[in-house]
Structure formats: structure tokens, C-alpha cells
Amino acid sequence: MIDAQGDPGTPDARGGGRYLWWLVTRQPGRSAAGAVLGTVWMVLLAVTPYLMSRAVDDGLQRGDLGALAGWSAVLLGVGAGNAWVGAVRHRVMTRVRMDANFRTVKVVMGQAVRLGVVLPRRVGTGEVVTIGVGDVQTIAGSLTVVGPGVGAVVAYLVVAALLLSVSPLLAAVVLLGVPVMVLVVGPLLNRLQGAEAEYRERQSLLTARIGDLAGGLRVLNGLGGKGLFAEAFRADSERLRAQGYRVGAVTSWVQAVGLGLPTLFLAAVTWPAARLAAQGSITVGELVSVYGYVAALVAPVAFFLECGYQISRGLVAARRVVAFLRLAPLPDTGTAQPPAGPAELYDPDSGVRLVPGLLTALAGARPADTAAVVDRLGRCVESAATWGGARLDAVPVARVRERILVADNEADLFAGPLREVIGGAAGAGGRGEGALARAVRAAAAEDVVRGLPRGLDEPIDAQGRNLSGGQRQRVRLARALLADPEVLLAVEPTSALDTHTEAVIAARLREVRTGRTTLLVTGSPLLLERADTVYHLVDGKVAAHGPHERLLAGSPEYRALVSRDDDGPDGPDDPDDPGAPVATCGGAGADADAEEAVR
């Protein structure tokens, strides 16, 4: 099976069918073994009636107990051997399906990492979740065709050949009957594929709404949009349920036909065989064998229909995976070398200029405008931003990420001990316990550590769900400060904190980032007054810049913006305070999601 750390390979994203075939070819030995074992298993099922007919004709009819005992022993041996083959076949096919499952998960996760900051802009969270939860299982299930599917084809041909030795008429009935059944089921499978695709699309949309609801409920309460959002969710849920009923209706017909047609097929073959036996054209043993052949053929026919059903669903799921794999990441055609040392970052679209070694603040009434500036300076979108006088997008993305860090206050927190959440898998980002302690102190997160039973070793849930909103914000800030980038672009690092904690962070942040280039997107006077330069953004452009005190005295708009911030809540760190989430390098924050939901 695929190694958890191994390379899953380059998937064939030219279509759903090609992707499924790629999964087969990535494990050729196991796929071939599944096909061989499936074939042997079904052929032995088909051969059993022949052995039984020989036991009847050579033993019972002739009264030859030796022949009867011999053929019975052969039957016992074939049955026992086939039971073993069936167990091994099942084990091999389970490995085939699990390999396809894990391989798909790895290529999807690899694509998500490759897309990076582009991911939230290109595809919704619900789509990624639905791929991971449902599509990978459906794709894995469709690979059943590799083993029993191939075996069913071979067994069908073997039974037809055996019947040809008994009666050409019966062989013709079998050879024509199976294609007729496939033709009957074909339109149902096409309908199922269409209904399944629509259901899958609606499921993705509803999953996205669930994510919006979980992440933005408190914001919706503040906007008065909870009822409207709930009504939209209810309507989407009812449409998904109705589509699910349509899928279920088609599926029930497929399953009913899959069970009923083989039974009718058995009767259709047994009737002329009984007439031939009554006429003396075939022996009693041959009649028994014909019945056994057709009974044995019920399994391959059922597998034909089951494989058609699974492939139909697998194609729908594979197309969704392929569509995700076709998404292009941020263009990375840069080949230029980054500046040799600290250099100025400049965004000509807004006029914001980051001087090396200084603490710069960015304030604006519209979070979308400030987020756009950070996206451009952080090389999260294509832009004309420059670094050291040269275009930022001329430098490879990897080299930019080594020196410029965007710290979003809605950035993901992974599950694990707090030590690893802040410092990565090494526990302190490879910088040692002293650096970790300094980062925690600079983010005023000492009380977060002290408040946990096991301190830095306390397990943290995914997205920090067992922490308050303010605690999560300080953990994110500590993580960014521990990285100690040459350029730090921090978005609303204290929006969910009380004024006392905010003042502590403002003083310590200034201290820990001395000599390093830092941009703070904030409206907090406590942070603004610590900045060397403040840029006031109006409609995406710099309206004024300079020290905080000078802007207060000379810019009424800036003074109104900061005064509005002063009027905000001044209470303790509140886990239910949504703060002012702003999107950077990753799409909309909770407030943008909420506003979109209300619209």
C-alpha cells in the first residue's frame, strides 16, 4: 500500500475515467493479482456445476460408488480451495481500494498545499470537505471492477463455453441474455450519474454553508442576519433532501433490477434446459449442470450491475477531484534573486511603503482595502509591488516566503500540543526553548500557558477550539514572532483583546521587532502610537501618513477612525468577541463570510 510519506505520483487530470485508470496503474501488481484472483474465484464457481454433473452421471446413474466418491472429493477440494481464494481476493481488493483512498487523499492534500493562498479564492471550504469525506470513498469503491469485474467477464465466457458443449441453444440464450440485461440497466445508470452529480454539487454548497454558520454565527448575530442565514440554510437543505430522494429512487431501481434480472435470467435458461432433458436431448446430470451454471452466473451478472453502479458514482466523484486538481496555483515564473539584505517594500497601487527596520502601521475604515495591500506586499496575488526596487513577482514564491511572513488573525491552528502549535513539529521551530519563551512573552500569552493544566504540552484542538478568541489570537501572534521573519505583515493582531493586554503587546512587540521590518494592520491607538509611521488608507489609497500624533492633529478622517476604535469594547478577553477579522492570503474572513451569507 502507498507509503504515508511516499510520493503518490502525478495524477492524470484529463478526466474522471483517466483518473480512475491512473489509480489502477499506480498499483499494477496488486491490481493484476486482484483480477487473477477474482477470475479464479468466479471460474471455480462456474466449474462446480460441471463436477456435480459428472458425479451424477458417472456415479449415481451408473451406480459407481467409487466414481461418486472421487467426484465428491474433487468437489470438496475445489470448494475449500475456492473459499481460500475468495478470502485472499477480498484481502487484495481491500488493499486496492485503500491504496486508491489514501492516494487520492494525498494528491488532494498536495494540491491544497500547492495552491496555498489561492485555495480559498478558487474553491469553497465545503467542496474540499466533501471531497475528503465522501468522494475518496466513492472513488475507492469503484475500483471493485478491477477484481470481481474482470472475473465476471471471464466467468461469463467460461459458462457460455461450457453450455456450448451441452446445447448450442442454451449457450445462445446465455450469450444474448447478459447483454440484454446490460442494455436494460444502462439508461438507469446514466440517470443515476446525472442525479448523483447534481446531488454532489448541492451537497458541496450546503457543506460550505455549514462552515460559514460555524465560523460566523456570532458575527451574524451582530449583523442581525442570523434568521436570514438560517432560512437560506433551510431552503438549501430541503433542496438537497429532494435531490437525495431522486438519487435514492434511481438507486432503488438499479438495485431492484440488479436482483430481479438475474433471477429472471435463471428461469429463462432453466426452462428450455428442462424441456431438453424431458425430450432426452440432454442427461439429468447435464440438466443439473445447466442449472448450476446459470446459478453460478448470477454472481457475475450481479457484479456486472454492481460495477456499473459503482463506476457511475466513481466517475462523478473523480470528475470533482479532477476539477480540483486542475486549479492553478499563484503563478510562479520569477527567477530573480531577492535583495541581498533588508530592502524597501512598496505597493504602488496604494502608495504604502515599508522602510527596512521600521514599525509601520496601516489603518483604514474598510478591511478589504487594508487586506488587499497586505496581499500585494505579501505576494499573495499578482501585483506591481516592488522589493528593493525590483518587482516582487520576479522573485520565486519560495524565496519570498523565506523572508516575508503574512500573519493573519484568522490563520489556521492545527491540532497538537501547544508547544508544537506555536513552534511547529520541532516544538520551537528549531530555535530552542528560550526563543519559544520570548515569543510567548512578546505575545502576552504567558497566562494562556499557565492556565492550561499541562502548560506548553497541553493538547490543543484543531483551530484552537478549546481556547478563547483572545487566546487563539495571542497563540497566532506568538507563532509569527517565533518565526522571526525579516518582514512581518501582521493583520489585526490584537482585535479580540482587552486594552490592558493590547498595551502590553504593543510595548513588547516594539521591543522584540527592533531592527526588523514590521507592518501592523490595526485601528488600535495603543498600537498606532508605537509605530514609526502610520498610513491612513481611504478607498484603497494613502490619504495621509506620518506619526500617529501628527495624523491625529492634522487629519479629521483619521481622528474619526481612531476615535471610533476607542469607543469599542473595553472589557476582559472575551471568547465570544469576534474582533475584526480581516482576510489576507486566503480569502474572506468571518465578517466577509457573514455579509455574503446575508446578501
Side-chain angles (χ1 to χ4, degrees):
M1 202 151 18
I2 182 173
D3 181 5
Q5 305 299 325
D7 180 13
T10 303
D12 190 339
R14 291 176 291 176
R18 289 181 179 272
Y19 180 78
L20 295 179
W21 178 244
W22 174 78
L23 290 175
V24 174
T25 58
R26 290 302 297 178
Q27 42 180 336
R30 196 178 295 119
S31 298
V36 170
L37 290 169
T39 299
V40 171
W41 178 63
M42 286 197 174
V43 168
L44 288 179
L45 288 177
V47 168
T48 301
Y50 170 76
L51 300 176
M52 188 177 297
S53 70
R54 294 300 302 272
V56 171
D57 288 343
D58 297 347
L60 288 178
Q61 281 194 328
R62 297 178 181 178
D64 187 344
L65 294 180
L68 178 61
W71 285 115
S72 298
V74 173
L75 272 171
L76 178 62
V78 169
N82 208 23
W84 178 83
V85 171
V88 176
R89 174 199 63 83
H90 180 76
R91 183 178 301 174
V92 171
M93 288 309 304
T94 298
R95 288 179 174 272
V96 169
R97 289 189 291 268
M98 293 302 292
D99 184 280
N101 187 318
F102 293 147
R103 198 175 297 275
T104 299
V105 168
K106 290 198 71 173
V107 297
V108 169
M109 291 302 298
Q111 172 70 348
V113 172
R114 193 169 71 96
L115 290 174
V117 299
V118 177
L119 176 62
R121 292 181 170 88
R122 302 287 180 83
V123 63
T125 303
E127 177 69 7
V128 180
V129 171
T130 306
I131 288 175
V133 172
D135 287 343
V136 293
Q137 299 289 344
T138 303
I139 288 171
S142 68
L143 293 196
T144 299
V145 70
V146 172
V150 173
V153 174
V154 176
Y156 163 66
L157 297 176
V158 169
V159 169
L162 291 172
L163 283 174
L164 186 62
S165 66
V166 175
S167 167
L169 173 64
L170 297 177
V173 172
V174 170
L175 287 172
L176 294 175
V178 173
V180 168
M181 286 190 288
V182 173
L183 290 175
V184 171
V185 178
L188 288 174
L189 294 178
N190 289 333
R191 283 189 58 191
L192 175 64
Q193 194 170 142
E196 186 84 26
E198 185 175 348
Y199 178 83
R200 173 64 179 73
E201 186 70 29
R202 292 187 182 279
Q203 185 183 37
S204 174
L205 293 174
L206 190 64
T207 305
R209 283 201 181 276
I210 292 174
D212 290 341
L213 181 62
L217 184 59
R218 294 192 295 271
V219 180
L220 286 169
N221 278 329
L223 295 173
K226 184 174 68 173
L228 185 60
F229 189 97
E231 183 60 34
F233 179 82
R234 187 180 299 110
D236 284 345
S237 181
E238 290 175 354
R239 284 192 289 268
L240 179 65
R241 180 180 60 185
Q243 184 62 25
Y245 287 153
R246 284 193 286 272
V247 172
V250 179
T251 301
S252 65
W253 275 106
V254 171
Q255 294 178 343
V257 170
L259 292 174
L261 279 183
T263 304
L264 293 176
F265 180 63
L266 177 63
V269 177
T270 304
W271 173 252
R275 295 290 301 271
L276 291 174
Q279 295 170 2
S281 300
I282 61 175
T283 66
V284 175
E286 288 175 332
L287 173 62
V288 172
S289 68
V290 168
Y291 180 85
Y293 292 150
V294 180
L297 199 60
V298 168
V301 170
F303 271 116
F304 272 137
L305 302 178
E306 174 68 16
C307 288
Y309 170 68
Q310 293 289 355
I311 290 176
S312 179
R313 298 183 70 235
L315 285 172
V316 173
R319 287 171 189 151
R320 306 298 301 188
V321 172
V322 165
F324 179 73
L325 296 178
R326 287 176 177 172
L327 297 176
L330 186 70
D332 187 16
T333 57
T335 58
Q337 291 297 316
E344 180 183 85
L345 271 173
Y346 174 60
D347 175 32
D349 291 348
S350 62
V352 173
R353 191 182 302 273
L354 303 187
V355 178
L358 297 186
L359 177 62
T360 306
L362 181 62
R366 295 173 53 189
D369 291 341
T370 55
V373 173
V374 174
D375 280 349
R376 293 191 290 267
L377 293 176
R379 182 109 157 64
C380 299
V381 295
E382 294 185 83
S383 73
T386 62
W387 188 16
R391 283 182 66 99
L392 184 60
D393 56 14
V395 180
V397 173
R399 301 300 304 274
V400 173
R401 299 285 179 262
E402 291 172 358
R403 297 169 60 180
I404 301 177
L405 172 65
V406 176
D408 185 0
N409 71 340
E410 290 296 311
D412 292 327
L413 294 175
F414 297 104
L418 179 59
R419 181 188 310 277
E420 294 185 7
V421 171
I422 296 175
R431 300 179 184 277
E433 291 295 316
L436 178 61
R438 287 191 294 274
V440 169
R441 179 183 179 279
E446 305 104 310
D447 64 316
V448 178
V449 177
R450 288 194 300 267
L452 297 174
R454 298 169 60 184
L456 287 170
D457 295 318
E458 179 73 12
I460 302 299
D461 294 342
Q463 303 302 344
R465 286 189 294 267
N466 55 337
L467 300 175
S468 73
Q471 289 174 330
R472 287 194 295 270
Q473 196 165 52
R474 283 179 283 167
V475 166
R476 291 188 180 102
L477 180 58
R479 182 172 63 180
L481 293 176
L482 179 61
D484 193 27
E486 178 184 311
V487 179
L488 174 63
L489 311 178
V491 181
E492 295 290 352
T494 62
S495 60
L497 305 179
D498 60 85
T499 52
H500 171 72
T501 306
E502 201 170 32
V504 172
I505 290 178
R508 294 177 180 177
L509 189 62
R510 174 83 191 196
E511 174 188 341
V512 76
R513 293 293 296 173
T514 298
R516 311 288 268 173
T517 307
T518 307
L519 174 68
L520 301 179
V521 177
T522 181
S524 166
L526 294 171
L527 292 178
L528 293 170
E529 67 184 7
R530 293 278 182 171
D532 297 303
T533 301
V534 177
Y535 284 92
H536 178 213
L537 220 60
V538 176
D539 294 331
K541 303 290 184 181
V542 173
H545 68 94
H548 172 66
E549 296 297 334
R550 195 176 77 192
L551 291 182
L552 281 177
S555 174
E557 287 185 344
Y558 178 79
R559 186 165 56 250
L561 174 66
V562 175
S563 298
R564 182 181 64 183
D565 189 84
D566 279 337
D567 293 337
D570 186 26
D573 182 4
D574 182 5
D576 292 327
D577 177 14
V582 179
T584 60
C585 278
D591 55 348
D593 288 339
E595 292 172 358
E596 178 64 25
V598 171
R599 287 197 292 270

